[in-house]
Amino acid sequence: MSREFYKENKISILNSLNSDSDQGLNKTQVEKKREKFGLNKLQEKRGVSVWQILLNQLKDLIIIILIIAAVLAFLIGDTLEGYAILAVIVFNTIIGFVTEYRAQKAVASLKNVLSKKALVIRDGKKQEIEAVDLVPGDIIFIEEGDQIPADARLIDTNNLTVNEASLTGESESVAKEAEAQFDSKKTLAERNNMVYMGTTAARGKGKAVVTAIAEETEIGKIGAMLDETKEGKTPLEKRLERLGKSLIKITLAVIAVLTILGIFMGRPVYDTVKTGIALAIAAVPEGLPIIATVTLAIGMKKMVEHNALVRELLAVETLGSVTSICTDKTGTITENQMTLRKIYLNDHLIEISGTGYQPEGDFLLAGEKIEPAVEAGLELTLKSGLLCTSAELTKEDGAYKVLGEATEGALLTAGRKAGFSKESLKNKGYQKLAEIPFNSDYMYMAVSYALPEGKEHLYLKGSPDVVLEMCDSIMLNGEQKELTAAKINEIQQKNKKLGEEGLRILGVAYKEGKNLDSEEKLQTEIKSSLTFLALSAIIDPPRESVKEAIKETKKAGIKTKMITGDQMDTAAAIAREVGITDSDSVISGQQISQASAEELRELIKNNSVFSRVTPENKLQIIDALNQEEEITAMTGDGVNDAPALKKADIGVSMGKRGTTVAREASDMVLLDDDFATIVTAVREGRVIFDNIQKFIYFLFSNNLSKIIYIFLGIIFNLPLPLLAMQILWINVVIDVFPALSLAWEKEENNIMGREATTERNIMNRAFKKKVSLHSLILAAGPMLLYLWSLNADYSLELSRTLSFAALSFIQLFHVFNARRKSGLAFDKTLLENYYLWLAVGIGIVFQLAAIYLGPLQKILSTVAIPIELLLPTAAAIILPMFLIQLMNIFAGRDKK
Ligand code: ATP
C-alpha cells in the first residue's frame, strides 16, 4: 500500500523526503533520487492499434464494393479479373495502412514539441525546469492556470483552487488548504491538502513538496493520459467520406438501371454484369481518405516548422478560411520585454535609462542624473513596486530572465537599478505577511509587509484608474496631502499622455496599517484611504514582425481586432504603430457589456481596437462574430480565456507565456507567442485548403469521367470501351500517385491577395460545376477516338487499347490542370514540385508498359499501338487538355 501523505504532517513529510521548504533539494540529492525514481514521465499513450488501423481499411465501403466485384468476376468466370481486384484490395489496404499509420505517428510526435515545465526551488534558487526532471522531495510552486506536474503535499496555499476533473470527473474546482489535517481515510476529492498530477490550478497560488512522480502518481496508477494533441476525424475527412459514398450510391443506381435496361434490350447477361463491375470499380475513389489525412498531416508538420503547433487536424483545415483574427496586445503584438522607463511623482517625470532586464541604468531628472535617495518618495515607490510582485529576476548564462510576468520583471529590474531587491530587503528584515494576487478581472495586486522598524505596510499596484479609486491622499515631496479632484485630473491627464506614447502604466500606492497578516484583512484595507505614490510607465515595444503581418492580413481581407486588458491610450498607440487602425476610436469593455446584441455586432464590425476587455467580453465578441458568420481565430492566455478559446473557430494560445489551461482549450499554440505566426499559419492553411481542393478536383473529375465514359458507351450501344481491369489499372496505378503529389504543391500566386470569404465548404456549387464540365471534356476526347477507330474498322482490341491509352494518359496529365486553380498550369512554378514529376514519370512508364509489354498486354487485354495511330491518340489527349487550360485561363482572367 502506498503512503498516505494527506494524513501526515507537512513537516514530517519534508523531513522524511530530506527536503527543505525554503532551500529545496540540492544537486546531489536530486541526482540520487533520479537514479532511484527515474524520470517523471507517464507511459506514452499507445495510438490506435495497428490492428485497428488495418480493420479500418477493410471496413471501408470502397473495399466492400471491390470485394463484391471480385466475387462477381469469379462467378462469371473472369478469374484473372477477380484476382486483380483482390490484388487491388490488398494493395489499397497496405497503402492505406502505411500512410494512415505514418500520419498518426507524425501527429503523435508533435506532442513532444511543447515540453511541460515546473517552477521549483533547488539549492535555494527558484528556477524553471522540465517537469520530467522532478523528483520526490522537490519543492514546487503552483500558479493560476498551471497544470500540476506531479502529486504533491501542499505546504503553503493562498486561495488555491484546483480543477480535478481529469482525475475525479468533478468539474467544480476544489479549494485547497495546506493546513488541513486528516486522521481518517479520505477519498481523492476530499484530500484538500494534496494536489495531483494532471489537474489544473484554477485560481490562487500554492507551494508544495512532491510526493510521487510518474507511474506512482494517482493519474499514473489509473493509466490515464495527458494528451497534448487532439485526435479524431476532421469534418473534411467526414465530408469526403460522405461524398465518396454518394458517388458510389449514384453508381449503384446507374448499375441497377443498366442491368434492367440490359435485360430488356436483350444484351447478354455476361456483358451486363461485366459493365456493372467496370462501373463499380470506376466509381470507387481509391486513396481519397488517405490523401486527405496525408495532406493535413503534412500541413501540421509544416506549420510547426513555422512555430504554429496545431493541436487538431481540424484547425489545419479551418485556418485557411479565417476571416478575422482577434489578438491580445501584450506579448503577442508586443515583445513582452518590458522596461520601466518613466516614473511620474512629485508632479514631475523621472526617466530611467537601460534596456531589458539588465539591472543597469540611471535615474534622470530633466536629463540630469540623480541619486534615487535624493528624490522624495522615489525609493518608497520603487520598493512598493518590487515587493508587490510574484515574479523573480534570475540570471541564466549571464543574461537576466524573468520567472513570471514581464510587467513585474520591469519593476524588479528598476528596483535593482536603485540597489534594492526582494532578497536584500528580506535580509534587512522585511517580512511578507499576506497577498492578493493579480487578476485581470480586477486589475491590481496587493501585498503586506512587516518592516524592520516594527511598522506594517500595504503595497498596491495596478491599473491607474483602479488604484486612484482606492486613494484619498497622495505623497508629494515627502508629505502626505489630500488627493483633490484637481490632482486626480492632473494624474489622469498625465496617464493619458504617457499612454499615448504607447507606454503601459501602473499606479502605485501604499498604506500603513496593523495586523495586515491575512488576505481578508487586505481586502478590507484596500477599499479606501490609500496613499497614491506614482505612475510607473513601462515600455513594451511592438514586435518587428507584426507590421508586415498586419499588412498581409489587410491584403488578404482578414480583419484584425486587437483585444486587450490594457488602457485605451496605450492600446490605441500600439494599434496605430503596427497599422491595425488609423483612427483614434477605441471601444471599452464596459461599452461591450452594455451594448445590445445588435449594437455589439455593429461596434465590432466598425472598430478594431478594444481596451479594458475582460475575458467575459471576449466571449461576447466571439458570439457576435459567430453571428456574422465570421471564421475567427482568437488568442488568449489566462484561465478565464479558456471558454472564448473553445468557442472561437481557432483558439490560439501561447507556448512561452500563458497558462496550461489556455493551452489545453486551444486548437493552436504559438510556440513563439508572435502574432505574425498566426498569419503564417493562415497562409499555410490556405495552401493546404487549395491542395485539398486540388486533389479532390483531380480524383473526382477523373472518376466521374470514367463513369461518363462507360455510360456514353452504353448510350451509343458500343462494345464496352474500357474493361474492368483497365479501369482498375487507371485508378490504382495511374491516378493515386499524381493525386498524392498534389499535397506537396507550393502556394498559388498571390495567395494572401485573395479575399477571405466565409465559405467553409470546399465542395461548393461552383466547384461541382467545374468538376462535372471538366469530366465531360476528359471523357469526350478518348470517346471520339474510340468511335473513330471502330468506324475505321480497326479491331475491337486495338480500338479499346486506343481508348484505354487515351483515357489513361489524359487522366495522368489532368494533374497539370489540377495543380493551378485557375490560369495557366505551365508557369514558372512548374518545376518546384518534384513529387508531381515523379508521379507523372512513373505513370508514363507504367502506361507504356501496359500497352507494349507482353505480360501486361495479356492481363490488360491490350495490343501494341502502331506508330501511325500515335498521332490521333495524342490529339485525343491534347485537345481536351487544351480546352480545359483555355477555360482555366479565362476563369483566371475573370477573377482579376
Ligand atoms: P492583453 O490582454 O493584451 O494581454 P494586458 O496584459 O495589458 O493586455 P491584463 O494582463 O489583463 O492585460 O492587464 C490589465 C491591466 O492590469 C494592465 O493595463 C495593468 O494596468 C494592470 N496589470 C497588469 N499586470 C499587472 C500586475 N502584475 N500587477 C498589477 N497590475 C497589473
Side-chain angles (χ1 to χ4, degrees), residues 327-332 338 388 405 407-408 438-441 443-445 461-464 504-507 562-567 612-613 618 637 657:
T327 173
D328 284 332
K329 171 180 72 71
T330 310
T332 315
M338 303 209 194
C388 189
E405 273 197 57
T407 310
E408 298 193 344
F438 171 73
N439 183 296
S440 35
D441 281 330
M443 299 190 192
Y444 63 80
M445 168 176 176
K461 71 175 197 309
S463 153
R504 178 174 173 82
I505 306 155
L506 293 176
M562 190 172 97
I563 299 178
T564 173
D566 215 338
Q567 69 185 41
R612 289 290 186 236
V613 170
K618 279 192 172 180
D637 46 19
R657 231 162 12 94

Short mmCIF file of all heavy atoms in Angstrom, two decimals, residues 327-332 338 388 405 407-408 438-441 443-445 461-464 504-507 562-567 612-613 618 637 657, ligand 1:
data_model
loop_
_atom_site.label_atom_id
_atom_site.label_comp_id
_atom_site.label_asym_id
_atom_site.label_seq_id
_atom_site.Cartn_x
_atom_site.Cartn_y
_atom_site.Cartn_z
N THR A 327 -6.73 39.41 -31.46
CA THR A 327 -5.48 39.16 -30.79
C THR A 327 -5.30 40.02 -29.53
O THR A 327 -5.77 41.14 -29.47
CB THR A 327 -4.28 39.40 -31.75
OG1 THR A 327 -3.08 39.31 -31.00
CG2 THR A 327 -4.35 40.77 -32.40
N ASP A 328 -4.62 39.45 -28.57
CA ASP A 328 -4.19 40.21 -27.40
C ASP A 328 -3.14 41.21 -27.84
O ASP A 328 -2.56 41.05 -28.92
CB ASP A 328 -3.46 39.28 -26.41
CG ASP A 328 -4.40 38.40 -25.65
OD1 ASP A 328 -5.54 38.81 -25.47
OD2 ASP A 328 -3.96 37.32 -25.22
N LYS A 329 -2.84 42.12 -26.98
CA LYS A 329 -1.73 43.05 -27.29
C LYS A 329 -0.43 42.55 -26.66
O LYS A 329 0.55 42.27 -27.34
CB LYS A 329 -2.05 44.44 -26.77
CG LYS A 329 -0.87 45.40 -26.87
CD LYS A 329 -1.22 46.77 -26.36
CE LYS A 329 -1.36 46.84 -24.85
NZ LYS A 329 -0.10 46.72 -24.11
N THR A 330 -0.49 42.41 -25.32
CA THR A 330 0.75 42.22 -24.60
C THR A 330 1.37 40.85 -24.89
O THR A 330 0.77 39.82 -24.62
CB THR A 330 0.49 42.37 -23.09
OG1 THR A 330 -0.23 43.59 -22.93
CG2 THR A 330 1.77 42.42 -22.31
N GLY A 331 2.56 40.88 -25.46
CA GLY A 331 3.28 39.64 -25.71
C GLY A 331 3.00 39.04 -27.07
O GLY A 331 3.79 38.25 -27.56
N THR A 332 1.87 39.39 -27.68
CA THR A 332 1.55 38.82 -29.00
C THR A 332 1.86 39.86 -30.07
O THR A 332 2.56 39.59 -31.05
CB THR A 332 0.06 38.41 -29.07
OG1 THR A 332 -0.26 37.72 -27.88
CG2 THR A 332 -0.22 37.55 -30.26
N MET A 338 9.79 43.99 -21.07
CA MET A 338 9.34 45.26 -20.52
C MET A 338 10.42 45.96 -19.69
O MET A 338 11.14 45.32 -18.94
CB MET A 338 8.12 45.02 -19.65
CG MET A 338 7.02 44.35 -20.43
SD MET A 338 5.44 44.78 -19.77
CE MET A 338 4.43 43.55 -20.57
N CYS A 388 5.64 44.26 -4.39
CA CYS A 388 4.29 43.85 -4.80
C CYS A 388 4.37 43.05 -6.10
O CYS A 388 3.80 43.42 -7.11
CB CYS A 388 3.45 45.10 -4.98
SG CYS A 388 1.73 44.77 -5.22
N GLU A 405 5.53 37.25 -14.61
CA GLU A 405 5.05 38.26 -15.54
C GLU A 405 6.11 39.30 -15.90
O GLU A 405 6.81 39.81 -15.03
CB GLU A 405 3.89 39.00 -14.90
CG GLU A 405 2.58 38.32 -15.17
CD GLU A 405 1.44 39.26 -14.90
OE1 GLU A 405 1.43 40.34 -15.52
OE2 GLU A 405 0.62 38.93 -14.05
N THR A 407 5.63 42.36 -16.82
CA THR A 407 5.34 43.66 -16.20
C THR A 407 6.07 43.75 -14.86
O THR A 407 6.64 44.79 -14.51
CB THR A 407 3.82 43.77 -15.94
OG1 THR A 407 3.14 43.44 -17.14
CG2 THR A 407 3.44 45.15 -15.48
N GLU A 408 6.01 42.68 -14.12
CA GLU A 408 6.64 42.68 -12.80
C GLU A 408 8.16 42.64 -12.92
O GLU A 408 8.87 43.23 -12.11
CB GLU A 408 6.12 41.50 -11.98
CG GLU A 408 4.61 41.62 -11.76
CD GLU A 408 4.07 40.67 -10.72
OE1 GLU A 408 4.79 39.71 -10.37
OE2 GLU A 408 2.94 40.89 -10.27
N PHE A 438 -2.53 39.14 -8.45
CA PHE A 438 -3.07 39.91 -9.59
C PHE A 438 -4.09 39.08 -10.35
O PHE A 438 -3.96 37.88 -10.49
CB PHE A 438 -1.94 40.32 -10.55
CG PHE A 438 -2.46 40.91 -11.82
CD1 PHE A 438 -2.99 42.18 -11.82
CD2 PHE A 438 -2.46 40.19 -13.00
CE1 PHE A 438 -3.51 42.75 -12.98
CE2 PHE A 438 -2.98 40.74 -14.18
CZ PHE A 438 -3.49 42.03 -14.15
N ASN A 439 -5.09 39.77 -10.82
CA ASN A 439 -6.07 39.11 -11.66
C ASN A 439 -6.56 40.11 -12.69
O ASN A 439 -6.79 41.27 -12.35
CB ASN A 439 -7.23 38.65 -10.77
CG ASN A 439 -8.25 37.88 -11.53
OD1 ASN A 439 -8.89 38.43 -12.43
ND2 ASN A 439 -8.41 36.62 -11.20
N SER A 440 -6.68 39.67 -13.95
CA SER A 440 -7.02 40.66 -14.97
C SER A 440 -8.48 41.11 -14.87
O SER A 440 -8.87 42.07 -15.54
CB SER A 440 -6.69 40.17 -16.38
OG SER A 440 -6.90 38.82 -16.49
N ASP A 441 -9.29 40.49 -14.04
CA ASP A 441 -10.65 40.98 -13.84
C ASP A 441 -10.65 42.24 -12.99
O ASP A 441 -11.31 43.21 -13.32
CB ASP A 441 -11.52 39.91 -13.17
CG ASP A 441 -11.97 38.87 -14.17
OD1 ASP A 441 -12.12 39.24 -15.35
OD2 ASP A 441 -12.15 37.70 -13.78
N MET A 443 -7.67 43.81 -11.91
CA MET A 443 -6.54 44.61 -12.39
C MET A 443 -5.64 45.25 -11.33
O MET A 443 -5.16 46.35 -11.53
CB MET A 443 -7.02 45.71 -13.34
CG MET A 443 -7.71 45.16 -14.57
SD MET A 443 -8.00 46.45 -15.77
CE MET A 443 -9.09 45.63 -16.88
N TYR A 444 -5.44 44.59 -10.22
CA TYR A 444 -4.43 45.08 -9.29
C TYR A 444 -3.86 43.91 -8.51
O TYR A 444 -4.37 42.79 -8.58
CB TYR A 444 -5.00 46.11 -8.31
CG TYR A 444 -6.09 45.56 -7.41
CD1 TYR A 444 -5.78 44.80 -6.28
CD2 TYR A 444 -7.43 45.80 -7.70
CE1 TYR A 444 -6.79 44.29 -5.48
CE2 TYR A 444 -8.44 45.29 -6.90
CZ TYR A 444 -8.11 44.53 -5.79
OH TYR A 444 -9.10 44.00 -5.01
N MET A 445 -2.79 44.20 -7.77
CA MET A 445 -2.24 43.21 -6.86
C MET A 445 -1.83 43.95 -5.60
O MET A 445 -1.42 45.12 -5.65
CB MET A 445 -1.00 42.58 -7.49
CG MET A 445 -0.18 41.75 -6.53
SD MET A 445 1.19 40.93 -7.38
CE MET A 445 1.99 40.17 -5.99
N LYS A 461 -0.33 47.81 -6.50
CA LYS A 461 -0.08 48.34 -7.84
C LYS A 461 -1.16 47.80 -8.77
O LYS A 461 -1.70 46.70 -8.53
CB LYS A 461 1.30 47.92 -8.34
CG LYS A 461 1.40 46.45 -8.68
CD LYS A 461 2.75 46.13 -9.29
CE LYS A 461 2.79 44.81 -10.02
NZ LYS A 461 2.29 43.64 -9.30
N GLY A 462 -1.46 48.58 -9.79
CA GLY A 462 -2.48 48.11 -10.73
C GLY A 462 -2.83 49.18 -11.73
O GLY A 462 -2.14 50.21 -11.83
N SER A 463 -3.91 48.94 -12.44
CA SER A 463 -4.35 49.91 -13.43
C SER A 463 -4.58 51.26 -12.75
O SER A 463 -5.25 51.32 -11.71
CB SER A 463 -5.62 49.37 -14.06
OG SER A 463 -6.37 50.42 -14.52
N PRO A 464 -4.02 52.39 -13.30
CA PRO A 464 -4.09 53.67 -12.61
C PRO A 464 -5.50 54.08 -12.19
O PRO A 464 -5.69 54.54 -11.06
CB PRO A 464 -3.53 54.64 -13.66
CG PRO A 464 -2.63 53.81 -14.48
CD PRO A 464 -3.23 52.46 -14.53
N ARG A 504 2.92 51.30 -21.07
CA ARG A 504 2.00 50.51 -20.25
C ARG A 504 2.12 51.06 -18.84
O ARG A 504 3.22 51.16 -18.30
CB ARG A 504 2.49 49.07 -20.32
CG ARG A 504 1.74 48.07 -19.53
CD ARG A 504 2.34 46.73 -19.91
NE ARG A 504 1.82 45.66 -19.10
CZ ARG A 504 0.67 45.07 -19.33
NH1 ARG A 504 -0.09 45.46 -20.33
NH2 ARG A 504 0.26 44.08 -18.55
N ILE A 505 1.01 51.42 -18.23
CA ILE A 505 1.12 52.20 -17.00
C ILE A 505 0.49 51.52 -15.79
O ILE A 505 -0.61 50.96 -15.86
CB ILE A 505 0.50 53.59 -17.20
CG1 ILE A 505 1.16 54.21 -18.43
CG2 ILE A 505 0.73 54.49 -15.99
CD1 ILE A 505 0.35 55.22 -19.10
N LEU A 506 1.21 51.59 -14.69
CA LEU A 506 0.71 51.08 -13.42
C LEU A 506 0.64 52.23 -12.43
O LEU A 506 1.53 53.08 -12.40
CB LEU A 506 1.67 50.03 -12.85
CG LEU A 506 1.81 48.72 -13.61
CD1 LEU A 506 2.88 47.86 -12.94
CD2 LEU A 506 0.49 47.97 -13.63
N GLY A 507 -0.41 52.25 -11.61
CA GLY A 507 -0.44 53.16 -10.48
C GLY A 507 0.14 52.42 -9.29
O GLY A 507 -0.06 51.22 -9.14
N MET A 562 -7.68 44.07 -32.18
CA MET A 562 -6.83 43.97 -31.01
C MET A 562 -7.69 44.08 -29.77
O MET A 562 -8.41 45.04 -29.58
CB MET A 562 -5.78 45.08 -31.02
CG MET A 562 -4.72 44.88 -29.98
SD MET A 562 -3.40 46.08 -30.21
CE MET A 562 -3.92 47.26 -29.02
N ILE A 563 -7.64 43.06 -28.95
CA ILE A 563 -8.50 43.00 -27.77
C ILE A 563 -7.61 42.91 -26.55
O ILE A 563 -6.96 41.89 -26.33
CB ILE A 563 -9.41 41.76 -27.88
CG1 ILE A 563 -10.27 41.91 -29.13
CG2 ILE A 563 -10.26 41.61 -26.65
CD1 ILE A 563 -11.17 40.76 -29.39
N THR A 564 -7.53 43.98 -25.78
CA THR A 564 -6.53 44.00 -24.73
C THR A 564 -7.11 44.41 -23.38
O THR A 564 -8.13 45.09 -23.31
CB THR A 564 -5.37 44.96 -25.11
OG1 THR A 564 -4.51 45.10 -24.01
CG2 THR A 564 -5.88 46.32 -25.52
N GLY A 565 -6.45 43.97 -22.34
CA GLY A 565 -6.84 44.37 -20.99
C GLY A 565 -6.25 45.72 -20.64
O GLY A 565 -6.61 46.35 -19.65
N ASP A 566 -5.32 46.18 -21.46
CA ASP A 566 -4.61 47.43 -21.17
C ASP A 566 -5.51 48.63 -21.41
O ASP A 566 -6.59 48.52 -21.97
CB ASP A 566 -3.35 47.51 -22.04
CG ASP A 566 -2.22 48.19 -21.30
OD1 ASP A 566 -2.52 48.94 -20.34
OD2 ASP A 566 -1.05 48.00 -21.67
N GLN A 567 -4.99 49.83 -20.99
CA GLN A 567 -5.84 51.01 -21.09
C GLN A 567 -5.90 51.56 -22.50
O GLN A 567 -5.08 51.25 -23.36
CB GLN A 567 -5.39 52.07 -20.10
CG GLN A 567 -4.05 52.70 -20.43
CD GLN A 567 -3.63 53.66 -19.33
OE1 GLN A 567 -3.79 53.36 -18.15
NE2 GLN A 567 -3.09 54.80 -19.72
N ARG A 612 -9.45 47.50 -22.08
CA ARG A 612 -10.04 47.15 -20.79
C ARG A 612 -11.09 46.04 -20.96
O ARG A 612 -12.19 46.11 -20.45
CB ARG A 612 -10.69 48.37 -20.15
CG ARG A 612 -9.68 49.38 -19.66
CD ARG A 612 -8.92 48.87 -18.46
NE ARG A 612 -8.04 49.85 -17.89
CZ ARG A 612 -6.74 49.68 -17.71
NH1 ARG A 612 -6.15 48.57 -18.10
NH2 ARG A 612 -6.01 50.60 -17.15
N VAL A 613 -10.72 45.08 -21.73
CA VAL A 613 -11.64 43.99 -22.06
C VAL A 613 -11.45 42.86 -21.05
O VAL A 613 -10.32 42.48 -20.75
CB VAL A 613 -11.34 43.49 -23.48
CG1 VAL A 613 -12.10 42.23 -23.78
CG2 VAL A 613 -11.68 44.57 -24.49
N LYS A 618 -14.60 38.99 -24.11
CA LYS A 618 -14.05 38.22 -25.22
C LYS A 618 -15.08 37.23 -25.74
O LYS A 618 -15.23 37.02 -26.94
CB LYS A 618 -12.81 37.45 -24.78
CG LYS A 618 -11.55 38.27 -24.74
CD LYS A 618 -10.36 37.33 -24.59
CE LYS A 618 -9.05 38.06 -24.72
NZ LYS A 618 -7.90 37.17 -24.58
N ASP A 637 -4.57 33.77 -23.00
CA ASP A 637 -3.52 33.13 -22.20
C ASP A 637 -3.94 32.76 -20.79
O ASP A 637 -3.33 31.92 -20.15
CB ASP A 637 -2.26 34.00 -22.17
CG ASP A 637 -2.56 35.45 -21.89
OD1 ASP A 637 -3.66 35.72 -21.38
OD2 ASP A 637 -1.72 36.31 -22.20
N ARG A 657 4.39 32.09 -22.92
CA ARG A 657 3.65 32.73 -21.87
C ARG A 657 2.37 31.94 -21.65
O ARG A 657 2.07 31.02 -22.37
CB ARG A 657 3.24 34.11 -22.39
CG ARG A 657 3.54 35.27 -21.57
CD ARG A 657 3.48 36.54 -22.43
NE ARG A 657 2.91 36.43 -23.74
CZ ARG A 657 1.65 36.68 -24.04
NH1 ARG A 657 0.78 36.96 -23.11
NH2 ARG A 657 1.21 36.60 -25.29
P1 ATP B 1 -3.52 41.83 -23.11
O1 ATP B 1 -4.93 41.47 -22.81
O2 ATP B 1 -3.33 42.44 -24.42
O3 ATP B 1 -2.55 40.75 -22.82
P2 ATP B 1 -2.74 43.18 -20.71
O4 ATP B 1 -1.67 42.21 -20.41
O5 ATP B 1 -2.40 44.61 -20.53
O6 ATP B 1 -3.25 43.10 -22.15
P3 ATP B 1 -4.05 42.40 -18.37
O7 ATP B 1 -2.96 41.49 -18.04
O8 ATP B 1 -5.47 41.99 -18.17
O9 ATP B 1 -4.00 42.83 -19.85
O10 ATP B 1 -3.78 43.75 -17.58
C1 ATP B 1 -4.75 44.73 -17.42
C2 ATP B 1 -4.19 45.89 -16.61
O11 ATP B 1 -3.83 45.44 -15.31
C3 ATP B 1 -2.92 46.49 -17.19
O12 ATP B 1 -3.23 47.56 -18.02
C4 ATP B 1 -2.17 46.97 -15.99
O13 ATP B 1 -2.53 48.30 -15.65
C5 ATP B 1 -2.64 46.05 -14.89
N1 ATP B 1 -1.66 45.00 -14.63
C6 ATP B 1 -1.12 44.15 -15.50
N2 ATP B 1 -0.29 43.29 -14.90
C7 ATP B 1 -0.31 43.59 -13.59
C8 ATP B 1 0.33 43.07 -12.43
N3 ATP B 1 1.15 42.03 -12.50
N4 ATP B 1 0.07 43.65 -11.26
C9 ATP B 1 -0.76 44.69 -11.18
N5 ATP B 1 -1.38 45.22 -12.22
C10 ATP B 1 -1.18 44.71 -13.42
#
